[in-house]
Amino acid sequence: MRLRALLETDALGLRLLGGQDELDRTVRGVMTTDLRDPSRYLSGGELVLTGLAWRRDASDSEPFVRILAGAGVAGLAAGEAELGDIPADLVEACDHHRLPLFAVHETVAFATITEHVVRQVSGERAGDLAAVVDRHRRLMTSGPAGGGPEVVLDLLTSDLDLRAWVLSPTGRQIAGAGTPLPGPLGATLAGHHLAATRTGRRAPHRAAVAGTTYSLFPIRNTGRGAVPAARDVRESVLSDWLLAVEADASDWPAARLDLLQGVTQLIAVERDRREAARTVRRRLAQEVLELVQAGAAPAEIAARLRVAAPVLLPGLGVAPQWQVVVARVDWTAADATAPGGVPGDIAGGPVAQALLEEILVDPAVSGPDSADRIAVAHTGEEAIALVPLPAGPTPLPDTVGDTADTATDPDAGPPADGDGAVRETGTGASAASGAGAGTGAKPGTGAAPTAAAQDPALHADALLAAVREPLSAGLADDGRLTLGVSAAVHSAEGLRGALEEARHARRVAAARPGRVCAAGHHELASHVLLLPFVPDDVRRAFTARLLDPLRDYDRRHRAELIETLEAFLDCDGSWTRCAARLHLHVNTLRYRVGRIEQLTGRDLSRLEDKLDFFLALRMS
């Protein structure tokens, strides 16, 4: 109820002394007190009744009113029975803190006001409950069959003033009402949700980001016809959607929580429907994979690809290029003696399959249908994706391992250095071209695509850039995702080599530290291929012997010798190019290189020493 309604009730005998502009405040309860500091008993929204017994002199009014205002009370009603007229100092303090002040006639008992407020508030709450039940009925009749998750979220916004979004486990927006959720925020919320789920905390989970509180609800179908619940949370944590609501649900009444649970059930039905729609694409990928692994004739594989192309790229008139992506999720065995602990026999293939279907979607694309071009099969513990790419302007080689001419940039640096940030050879693509098939520019840049960036080929590091944070939270301390990406091929003959190349790249990624690792085909050059398999103690000894003197010198003198060494090697020992890159005079560069040679006892004009430095930098 509103304060204005109390003033308009003659039986209460209230007289307004200040706060005319604040009469639309909502009253959620009532409290009677004569304590000098009643803050511990206030939660906000109360009408405070007081007989002024706490006031000894004029100086007491200001701190008392300040405490009430800080607690967020709706208003103050002071009785006239004790002092007669309400003291001017109290009126002044309430005016200063913009707290509505009422005088209660001496003939009116506080119990009368209390009973009236409780009766009105209780009646309104009963009405709210009836409204919630009605909203629940409307939601059920306006479920996914009536327009998808957006319809349900629109009702949450219009009826309950709740902004909500459906997110994938990587934070990509599946559906939302109104303003889209920024990608980085979605990833952060997904990471909060996955981390809380892995710890076994009861949902909804609370997340505070940039001063805004969100409540995170898991989306799982527990109704009739639902898939049986996973016996281990790790079987589903990386594939379940979540509902992010911009509100703090920790103080919600049970009726509203039940309503939101009903919303998640409706969205879960829609998710299951879309999951079933993936069956055709998964079957196509499985059939092609079985033919490739069985060594079938290229003509037979090509025929199956012609069937797959219209499904994955509708309207495409020519056979596309293809890339193969291999992913694997490995879990450390759980402690079977711990509460809820089970042996580590989780089937990794289905988990990796669902995860790879999500990773391969461009993070800049929203909506549940954006994964319709992704075909992923699983065999054993691996998930294998067959990704179609629209034919580019430059022909690609028939087999993996051949090289193709690429559109070169005269200002570009040397070939790829392995971090996915510069051009890869063999794909006719720039590694900065974006994360998803069909993207023209790097996600999030908004820049017009360049000639090199128009190539839609996938690149290992770019695939994981937007999803590494939430996936690491979901994998926690006992899970690991490794991923390998092949070069692009445009004929059936190249698919077998592409599959082996992607598998080998994944093994290179698996040899690296970290929860989420990827490697591309460009990292399978001979010197790079050997690095992950060098024993750790050998790595440490080798890199320490060469680089520690430079690092120590940099720490003491801020000389940037390590940065200079990296640039010098990247520029193939060219003094002019290296000096230009570092914005140094050539003489300054020569001094730094001389210092590097003096500290390490090496000669950067010798090929052997250059290679040692290169390997040390790559292994560090």
Side-chain angles (χ1 to χ4, degrees), residues 13 81 136 246 300 402 460 588 590:
H136 203 292
E246 190 180 292
E300 187 178 359
D402 294 341
T588 303
R590 291 185 185 277

Side-chain angles (χ1 to χ4, degrees), residues 78-100:
E80 295 178 325
E82 183 74 19
L83 301 177
D85 292 338
I86 305 302
D89 50 86
L90 181 59
V91 176
E92 182 180 348
C94 288
D95 183 63
H96 175 72
H97 290 282
R98 302 181 63 84
L99 182 66

Side-chain angles (χ1 to χ4, degrees), residues 554-608:
D554 282 346
R555 277 194 295 270
R556 292 196 307 270
H557 303 284
R558 299 182 180 179
E560 299 180 351
L561 296 185
I562 291 289
E563 179 185 352
T564 302
L565 176 61
E566 290 176 332
F568 188 74
L569 295 175
D570 284 346
C571 294
D572 296 327
S574 168
W575 297 98
T576 304
R577 286 168 54 202
C578 184
R581 176 184 291 193
L582 296 174
H583 306 290
L584 298 174
H585 192 278
V586 172
N587 288 341
T588 303
L589 176 61
R590 291 185 185 277
Y591 172 80
R592 287 190 183 180
V593 171
R595 178 65 68 181
I596 292 171
E597 294 175 333
Q598 179 185 11
L599 290 170
T600 61
R602 299 299 186 108
D603 182 355
L604 278 168
S605 66
R606 286 167 40 89
L607 176 61
E608 295 88 344

Side-chain angles (χ1 to χ4, degrees), residues 229-251:
R231 63 190 179 90
D232 190 314
V233 69
R234 293 175 294 180
E235 294 180 0
S236 60
V237 66
L238 296 176
S239 58
D240 286 341
W241 290 355
L242 66 134
L243 178 68
V245 182
E246 190 180 292
D248 188 350
S250 59
D251 59 352

Side-chain angles (χ1 to χ4, degrees), residues 127-136 138-139 152-164 217 243 245-247 252-253 255-263:
D128 287 344
L129 179 58
V132 166
V133 173
D134 179 65
R135 290 178 184 122
H136 203 292
R138 292 175 58 197
L139 289 171
V152 179
L153 300 184
D154 284 339
L155 280 174
L156 284 180
T157 301
S158 61
D159 282 21
L160 295 180
D161 195 26
L162 291 176
R163 299 175 65 206
F217 296 80
L243 178 68
V245 182
E246 190 180 292
W252 281 3
R256 177 166 287 201
L257 286 173
D258 288 344
L259 176 64
L260 266 293
Q261 294 297 340
V263 168

